[in-house]
């Protein structure tokens, strides 16, 4: 099973940065609560190296995963990066312990975190830099404006947002070009449907985090169980195939620290749903 991810097709971030649509999210690589080092450092490196062999080119991470752990693992595993590898990272959340996340959109802090991510990742320019959350304690124009300044300096290629409304995207686009949006979205939770529709209309990449609802959609007695049997696939594969079929701008980033789960998830790229199957899955969700 080599280069199977490419079956999911490609999307050009910002119109000029091609990625294979089925990507990989690094949030599950640090310890419990997304805190501390990986439970098995060598195993984490093996998973990351296998992603490339499977044809995955798009990697989503953040300075707060660990913190710092996931970015460093990417560098340890994949640096020097292949030409086709695209790394997206984020800033805007601080960490005080396992499972604890606090917003901080203070512009000098965002700049500092960009500089540190550049160093940890071992790159001169971050392919896609995302504001992890808009912090209401600071004006939106100051937070996105700092990203725009970093972009003008050549430290960021493209700018993305995370957990935003359509109105917030429109406001941010008055300040800088926004090329991706990352919101909670999966077959079971479609609260961001209007955001996805807007992104599709504007050719903005939509990165659904929590694409498998962390197991809810993959349970043997879950809503996709019988459909998976009928299709000769796993529930997780169907959930990912549904996302890929939902819109050409969708870039799912399932994450795992398991080689077996990685290979199973990536096989979803080869599943083509008919209109009837897509509608049936939509109704199940």
């Amino acid at each position: 099973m080599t280069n199977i991810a490419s079956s999911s097709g490609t999307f050009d971030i910002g119109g000029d940065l091609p990625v294979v649509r089925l990507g990989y999210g690094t949030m599950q690589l640090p310890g419990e609560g997304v805190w501390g080092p990986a439970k098995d450092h060598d195993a984490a490196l093996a998973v990351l190296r296998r992603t490339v062999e499977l044809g995955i080119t798009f990697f989503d991470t953040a300075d707060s995963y660990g913190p710092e752990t996931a970015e460093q693992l990417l560098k340890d595993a994949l640096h020097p990066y292949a030409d086709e590898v695209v790394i997206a990272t984020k800033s805007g959340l601080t960490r005080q312990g396992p499972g604890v996340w606090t917003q901080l959109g203070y512009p000098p802090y965002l700049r500092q975190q960009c500089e540190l991510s550049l160093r940890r990742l071992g790159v001169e320019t971050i392919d896609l830099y995302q504001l992890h959350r808009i912090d209401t304690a600071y004006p939106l124009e100051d937070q996105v404006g700092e990203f725009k300044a970093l972009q003008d300096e050549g430290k960021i290629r493209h700018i993305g947002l995370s957990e935003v409304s359509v109105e917030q995207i429109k406001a941010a686009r008055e300040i800088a070009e926004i090329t991706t949006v990352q919101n909670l979205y999966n077959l079971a939770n479609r609260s961001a449907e209007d955001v996805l529709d807007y992104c599709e209309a504007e050719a903005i990449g939509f990165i659904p985090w929590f694409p498998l609802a962390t197991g809810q959609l993959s349970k043997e007695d879950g809503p996709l169980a019988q459909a998976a049997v009928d299709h000769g696939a796993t529930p997780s594969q169907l959930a990912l195939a549904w996302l890929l079929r939902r819109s050409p701008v969708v870039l799912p980033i399932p994450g795992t620290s398991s080689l077996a789960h990685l290979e199973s998830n990536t096989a979803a790229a080869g599943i083509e749903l008919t209109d009837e199957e897509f509608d049936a899955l939509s109704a199940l969700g």
Side-chain angles (χ1 to χ4, degrees), residues 106-127:
Y106 180 49
Y109 173 75
L110 299 176
R111 172 172 289 271
Q112 168 190 285
Q113 294 307 103
C114 178
E115 296 285 1
L116 291 173
S117 289
L118 285 165
R119 187 186 308 175
R120 274 191 297 272
L121 292 168
V123 296
E124 294 184 359
T125 302
I126 294 171
D127 295 320

Side-chain angles (χ1 to χ4, degrees), residues 4-5 16-17 21-22 24 40 46 53 55 63 65 68 83 112-113 133 160 165 192 197 199 208-209 254 269 278 280:
I4 192 169
D16 65 8
L17 185 60
R21 288 180 59 208
L22 185 60
Y24 175 83
D40 187 329
E53 294 173 353
D63 61 6
Y65 296 169
E68 305 179 7
D83 290 343
Q112 168 190 285
Q113 294 307 103
R133 293 292 187 276
S165 66
D197 288 341
C199 287
W209 65 270
F278 176 80

Side-chain angles (χ1 to χ4, degrees), residues 177-197:
E177 182 183 1
I178 303 300
T179 59
T180 63
V181 167
Q182 183 167 165
N183 275 26
L184 169 63
Y185 186 82
N186 55 56
L187 183 57
N189 185 336
R190 297 175 227 168
S191 56
E193 201 81 61
D194 62 328
V195 176
L196 172 51
D197 288 341

Side-chain angles (χ1 to χ4, degrees), residues 57-59 61 74 81 85-89 121 123 126-128:
T57 65
F58 183 53
F59 295 84
T61 190
L74 273 170
Y81 307 107
V85 166
V86 171
I87 295 178
T89 191
L121 292 168
V123 296
I126 294 171
D127 295 320
L128 173 62

